[in-house]
């Protein structure tokens, strides 16, 4: 940075640091954080916004993974009435940018020095042709396995470190009359389990080829057949009422001792924590068997709207989201870790420490990978095509070979 721009940045920083009073900041915020842990988390932003004079109009659209929220967003934009701020992530940010409807938040990003406090892997997702077009909230990890500590110890079971161990533990639990796997039969949850299995069985290079590059050889490989074989085994470990169940109700099954394990991103930890449960005592966390780290970064994009009050609302929201206080407090509740690398993790639990250490190690080793199931790796049409096959396989007696053929055809059609 040259002297002049260093001065401009410093001046802008102190400008922000004095807590600028905006005229009458307004924001209508579309998000899908409606479970107990999620609502507790987003309340942190609502409170900070209000304490700076903002008026928050909440637009929550229930539905884990955000599919319903994205449908609602499209309807609003098509009717020429976009919300002010929207929970949006991964390549969907750039897809909306290409439609010419996103606001440029570079002035806040530059004033706050986002480039200096965010890892490049996260910052890249927030950029649209060199401008900042989204503000990152956190890093969620997908490839987690959660367990009821009491059930495992009563049955003499350790957290599984291979898929064979997982299968053996699940069979033992099933024989003892315990549902091994808490699962909600919704397409995005099937995809969440599938990508954790795929990373574990295929490894990071395979995952990159298959689910980031859509490489045909990887998509048609014996490895992919083996992944669907494991999904068929997993299908045998869920209870008979799994169809349509929300993810947080599946988490509650683990909490209440109705099931032993759940494979889910670490927003599940937000539910355990909201219920007052303690990691290592009441529930256990461990990365799913295998190498690598599947990341899912929540973020907010601002849509082009009229009115100075709305524009002030967007500026204030962007400033708060990447602010140190919000990054700390929100992520303590949400189960994720801060997107900023300069936030002390002293107050965070052991699962968060594991996540941060594994993220650093996987960045080094090249095994930090974007989640396909949570919209970080592919455009919507492509990830949707894969998930359709995953869920069709999980909910039928389709063979693994047929699933692979359908997968390749669906991916080809989506390009
Ligand atoms: C993810 C999102 C998380 C959490 C989860 C369940 O896609 O990144 O923040 O909300 O869905 O709704």
């Amino acid at each position: 940075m040259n002297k002049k721009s260093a001065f401009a940045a410093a001046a802008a920083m102190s400008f922000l640091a004095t807590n600028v009073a905006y005229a009458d900041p307004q924001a209508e915020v579309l998000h899908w954080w409606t479970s107990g842990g999620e609502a507790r988390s987003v309340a942190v932003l609502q409170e900070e916004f209000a304490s700076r004079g903002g008026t928050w109009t909440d637009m929550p659209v229930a539905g884990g993974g955000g599919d319903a929220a994205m449908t609602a967003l499209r309807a609003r934009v098509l009717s020429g009435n976009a919300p002010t701020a929207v929970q949006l992530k991964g390549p969907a940010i750039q897809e909306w940018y290409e439609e010419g409807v996103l606001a440029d938040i570079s002035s806040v990003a530059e004033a706050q020095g986002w480039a200096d406090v965010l890892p490049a892997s996260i910052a890249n997702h927030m950029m649209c042709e060199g401008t900042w077009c989204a503000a990152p909230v956190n890093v969620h990890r997908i490839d987690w396995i959660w367990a009821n500590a009491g059930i495992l110890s009563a049955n003499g079971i350790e957290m599984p470190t291979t898929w064979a161990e997982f299968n053996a533990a699940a069979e033992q639990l099933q024989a003892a009359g315990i549902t091994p796997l808490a699962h909600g039969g919704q397409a995005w949850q099937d995809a969440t389990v599938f990508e954790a299995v795929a990373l574990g069985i295929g490894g990071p290079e395979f995952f990159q080829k298959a689910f980031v590059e859509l490489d045909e050889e990887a998509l048609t490989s014996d490895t992919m057949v083996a992944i669907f074989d494991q999904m068929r085994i997993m299908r045998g470990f869920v209870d008979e009422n799994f169809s349509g169940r929300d993810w947080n109700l599946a988490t509650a099954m683990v909490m209440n001792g109705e099931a032993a394990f759940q494979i889910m991103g670490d927003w599940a930890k937000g539910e355990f924590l909201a219920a007052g449960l303690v990691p290592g005592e009441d529930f256990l966390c461990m990365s799913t068997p295998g190498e690598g780290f599947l990341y899912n970064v929540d973020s907010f994009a601002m849509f082009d709207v009229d009115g100075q009050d709305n524009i002030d609302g967007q500026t204030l929201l962007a400033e708060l989201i990447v602010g140190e206080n919000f990054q700390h407090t929100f992520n303590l509740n949400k189960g994720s870790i801060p997107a900023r690398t300069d936030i002390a993790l002293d107050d965070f639990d052991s699962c968060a420490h594991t996540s941060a250490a594994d993220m650093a190690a996987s960045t080094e080793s090249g095994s930090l990978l974007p989640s396909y199931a949570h919209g970080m790796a592919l455009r919507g049409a492509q990830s949707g095509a894969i998930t359709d096959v995953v869920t069709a396989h999980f909910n039928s007696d389709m063979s693994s070979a047929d699933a692979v053929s359908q997968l390749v055809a669906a991916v080809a059609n989506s390009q």
Side-chain angles (χ1 to χ4, degrees):
M1 197 186 278
N2 64 30
K3 263 194 190 156
K4 204 171 150 204
S5 56
F7 174 78
M13 284 285 254
S14 65
F15 176 69
L16 283 172
T18 52
N19 281 5
V20 188
Y22 299 99
D24 184 18
Q26 304 282 328
E28 186 192 10
V29 186
L30 191 160
H31 62 90
W32 65 89
W33 287 331
T34 56
S35 77
E38 290 174 332
R40 203 162 80 112
S41 308
V42 74
V44 174
L45 190 56
Q46 292 173 346
E47 281 156 22
E48 286 197 2
F49 192 67
S51 77
R52 292 281 298 277
T55 306
W56 174 294
T57 306
D58 206 28
M59 191 189 169
V61 180
D67 294 339
M70 292 301 101
T71 305
L73 171 63
R74 182 146 294 279
R76 286 285 301 266
V77 176
L78 283 177
S79 66
N81 178 28
T84 331
V86 176
Q87 185 187 350
L88 197 65
K89 58 193 168 123
I93 299 169
Q94 284 74 30
E95 288 184 80
W96 281 109
Y97 173 82
E98 285 160 17
E99 298 202 21
V101 290
L102 292 194
D104 182 353
I105 53 173
S106 300
S107 59
V108 188
E110 279 153 25
Q112 265 184 323
W114 292 4
D116 300 331
V117 294
L118 298 174
S121 53
I122 294 181
N124 288 341
H125 285 291
M126 309 297 137
M127 308 289 300
C128 297
E129 291 185 336
T131 65
W132 291 87
C133 49
V137 168
N138 61 3
V139 180
H140 270 306
R141 183 180 196 174
I142 304 297
D143 48 319
W144 281 114
I145 186 160
W146 309 93
N148 178 302
I151 293 184
L152 293 207
S153 71
N155 289 276
I157 291 172
E158 300 279 326
M159 282 298 257
T161 57
T162 63
W163 289 103
E165 277 178 24
F166 176 83
N167 294 345
E171 277 163 23
Q172 184 192 329
L173 290 162
Q174 210 158 33
I178 299 161
T179 300
L181 187 63
H183 183 64
Q186 296 174 344
W188 73 273
Q189 294 187 60
D190 299 339
T192 300
V193 173
F194 173 77
E195 72 173 351
V197 169
L199 177 67
I201 291 181
E205 270 178 44
F206 169 84
F207 189 96
Q208 166 76 24
K209 281 210 153 52
F211 301 109
V212 182
E213 295 165 17
L214 299 178
D215 173 77
E216 195 173 329
E217 209 177 302
L219 291 173
T220 54
S221 62
D222 291 347
T223 305
M224 194 64 87
V225 175
I227 291 162
F228 279 108
D229 287 347
Q230 177 63 24
M231 288 303 285
R232 177 62 64 234
I233 295 172
M234 311 284 277
R235 175 67 177 79
F237 296 149
V238 307
D239 70 315
E240 59 182 19
N241 297 320
F242 79 104
S243 281
R245 177 186 288 136
D246 287 331
W247 67 271
N248 51 318
L249 299 182
T251 308
M253 289 171 70
V254 177
M255 276 184 213
N256 302 335
E258 291 162 43
F261 297 113
Q262 184 183 20
I263 293 174
M264 187 47 65
D266 42 21
W267 47 91
K269 193 183 72 184
E271 296 302 299
F272 287 113
L273 298 180
L277 303 184
V278 179
E281 290 177 23
D282 306 309
F283 69 96
L284 307 174
C285 64
M286 187 145 138
S287 56
T288 47
E291 297 294 306
F293 185 114
L294 293 179
Y295 70 86
N296 169 30
V297 174
D298 285 311
S299 46
F300 279 87
M302 310 301 159
F303 277 65
D304 262 333
V305 287
D306 293 331
Q308 194 55 43
D309 49 356
N310 288 322
I311 293 164
D312 285 353
Q314 293 178 327
T315 311
L316 178 56
L317 269 182
E319 180 200 325
L320 293 173
I321 286 170
V322 186
E324 291 178 39
N325 189 54
F326 172 75
Q327 292 267 322
H328 176 259
T329 312
F330 173 92
N331 285 303
L332 277 175
N333 292 330
K334 188 68 166 66
S336 37
I337 55 174
R340 290 176 70 128
T341 50
D342 61 342
I343 307 292
L345 296 180
D346 302 348
D347 298 336
F348 285 72
D349 59 47
S350 55
C351 308
H353 284 270
T354 301
S355 188
D358 288 358
M359 185 175 166
S362 63
T363 304
E364 281 288 301
S365 67
S367 59
L368 179 70
L369 292 156
S371 157
Y372 114 76
H374 290 271
M376 296 304 298
L378 299 168
R379 298 207 156 218
Q382 299 168 327
S383 58
I386 298 174
T387 298
D388 284 350
V389 177
V390 168
T391 207
H393 169 267
F394 198 72
N395 289 291
S396 69
D397 58 2
M398 189 189 294
S399 71
S400 300
D402 285 351
V404 166
S405 317
Q406 290 200 12
L407 183 68
V408 179
V411 166
N413 280 335
S414 73
Q415 307 266 27

